[in-house]
Amino acid sequence: MKEFVKGQRAKLADLTTTTTVEASIQINFTTPKEFDCSCFGVADNNQLSDDRYFIFYNQKKSPDGSIVLLSQDVNDIERFRIDISNLPQSISKLVFTSTLNDE
């Protein structure tokens, strides 16, 4: 398993040869906090390619099922399943973000 830190970037081809991957996001706080994670399918111009490829708690999968937000597990880990072979040609990269639902 490869771990990333805030702002880190990598090409999936450098990490694995498989076409289906799972990205897990865990954020550790000193006190419990609620957060939501999202995945954006971004085009070459660094903009969202299509609103249907903004995956979050209220839109859990892309229309073709290439990006799916899986349920959050007991350790507060958000998980996404990505089928690279089904991503549209218009998506050149995936961007993962986290939003804190707290004061």
Side-chain angles (χ1 to χ4, degrees), residues 28-96:
N28 298 315
F29 294 100
T30 55
T31 58
K33 305 283 184 189
E34 183 180 327
F35 63 92
D36 293 315
C37 292
S38 305
C39 177
F40 296 86
V42 177
D44 285 333
N45 63 0
N46 289 323
Q47 293 184 351
L48 183 64
S49 66
D50 182 327
D51 287 346
R52 299 173 302 163
Y53 289 87
F54 168 32
I55 310 305
F56 65 112
Y57 66 88
N58 204 30
Q59 181 168 282
K60 294 188 179 209
K61 70 178 187 173
S62 60
D64 56 8
S66 60
I67 309 170
V68 179
L69 172 61
L70 304 172
S71 59
Q72 190 176 56
D73 73 13
V74 294
N75 296 321
D76 290 331
I77 298 174
E78 294 274 357
R79 298 181 305 124
F80 293 86
R81 185 180 61 242
I82 301 110
D83 182 351
I84 301 164
S85 63
N86 276 341
L87 284 172
Q89 293 288 344
S90 60
I91 295 177
S92 62
K93 65 182 171 181
L94 299 175
V95 177
F96 296 90

